[in-house]
Amino acid sequence: MKKINVITIDGPSASGKGALSRKIAHNFGFDILDSGLLYRLCAYFSNKKINLDEIPKKINSEVSFKLNDELVSVHYKKKDITNKLRTEEIAKIASQMSAKNETRKSLFNIQRNFYTESGLVADGRDMGTVVFQDAKLKIFLTASSEIRAKRRYLELQNLGQEVNMPALIADIEERDLKDSSRELSPLIPADEAYVIDSSDMSLEEVFSFTENIVKKEFI
Ligand code: C5P
């Protein structure tokens, strides 16, 4: 299989995939795909009673993604809806919808279209196993559920959202179980993925470990 200039970063919720992807994209001049945001958009549109078969067209024509200062924001009809997508409520609906074949199929081409010659960092659950099987480098990033809940807690607090820690741990564990045990595109490392447990590592440490692999593979 011909390999393309893609780095896939898969892993459970709040394992640090987003922060690592943004840092790699920023430092190496790669584009970025946060595929979770696409599933969250499906949930957002379905809350607005928009049919699933209309969603890809809407995403292609009315939604834009911007990477500013290492943060990805989502704009719909020129309004920034990032904070509306980054709630646990939307995440739950996204997780339910993501188990359905129609949802995954409808997002497949949109995800592939993020690829450009300048390279792409793709973050999600099935980037290395399904969407970019032909990626040059695959990473699976994980961490204990307590650590991930703490990271998500800080993230949500920074977005000004109220959070209840026990409920958050329960939500994260429930979502992980659903994502890993579903029949379609379950959350599992690709055979050739580097598996990194970041429970005891800072973002800087994870970045410096991956930076070396990226340099070896891409430069
Ligand atoms: O990564 P994030 O938490 O934003 O993803 C929200 C949900 O979307 C996940 O819990 C998962 O169910 C789904 N998802 C997926 N495949 C991906 C990315 C996200 O099924 N590649």
Side-chain angles (χ1 to χ4, degrees), residues 6 9 23 28 35 59 75 88 109 119 129 161 183 202 214:
V6 174
I9 304 186
K23 215 166 164 52
F28 290 93
S35 61
I59 295 179
H75 297 249
E88 282 302 295
N109 285 337
T129 48
Q161 294 179 27
E183 201 179 318
S202 66
V214 176

Side-chain angles (χ1 to χ4, degrees), residues 193-211:
Y194 289 85
V195 178
I196 305 173
D197 184 339
S198 71
S199 302
D200 298 316
M201 290 167 90
S202 66
L203 172 61
E204 283 310 321
E205 287 169 325
V206 179
F207 176 68
S208 103
F209 178 81
T210 26
E211 189 184 23

Side-chain angles (χ1 to χ4, degrees), residues 88-190:
E88 282 302 295
E89 189 203 338
I90 284 286
K92 256 192 216 173
I93 304 171
S95 179
Q96 284 157 11
M97 290 182 76
S98 74
K100 296 189 183 137
N101 193 25
E102 312 87 80
T103 314
R104 308 206 73 84
K105 250 170 65 186
S106 72
L107 293 180
F108 185 84
N109 285 337
I110 297 182
Q111 295 173 94
R112 287 291 301 188
N113 287 341
F114 269 78
Y115 173 69
T116 63
E117 294 273 310
S118 53
L120 180 71
V121 188
D123 123 33
R125 306 292 188 289
D126 62 341
M127 296 295 99
T129 48
V130 177
V131 181
F132 293 105
Q133 289 181 36
D134 47 357
K136 221 182 241 180
L137 175 61
K138 299 180 183 182
I139 290 167
F140 190 88
L141 189 60
T142 182
S144 70
S145 52
E146 291 77 17
I147 295 281
R148 290 186 291 111
K150 270 188 204 149
R151 290 178 186 163
R152 179 54 50 90
Y153 181 86
L154 293 176
E155 225 175 87
L156 293 174
Q157 255 196 344
N158 279 339
L159 292 174
Q161 294 179 27
E162 287 207 4
V163 239
N164 166 302
M165 194 61 171
L168 187 61
I169 297 184
D171 274 359
I172 283 189
E173 286 181 345
E174 187 191 329
R175 202 142 59 86
D176 288 346
L177 183 68
K178 275 205 188 113
D179 289 346
S180 332
S181 57
R182 69 183 174 212
E183 201 179 318
L184 293 168
S185 304
L187 170 67
I188 42 165

Side-chain angles (χ1 to χ4, degrees), residues 46-111:
S46 116
N47 274 354
K48 291 189 173 299
K49 308 278 174 265
I50 293 169
N51 277 338
L52 185 59
D53 46 351
E54 291 170 39
I55 293 178
K57 208 169 78 199
K58 264 198 140 20
I59 295 179
N60 280 327
S61 58
E62 293 175 73
V63 175
S64 61
F65 301 87
K66 293 190 182 122
L67 176 63
N68 298 321
D69 297 331
E70 300 195 15
L71 273 180
V72 179
S73 60
V74 186
H75 297 249
Y76 169 53
K77 291 189 170 163
K78 306 215 161 74
K79 272 201 202 128
D80 188 338
I81 58 162
T82 322
N83 287 357
K84 292 200 164 88
L85 298 181
R86 294 233 179 259
T87 65
E88 282 302 295
E89 189 203 338
I90 284 286
K92 256 192 216 173
I93 304 171
S95 179
Q96 284 157 11
M97 290 182 76
S98 74
K100 296 189 183 137
N101 193 25
E102 312 87 80
T103 314
R104 308 206 73 84
K105 250 170 65 186
S106 72
L107 293 180
F108 185 84
N109 285 337
I110 297 182
Q111 295 173 94

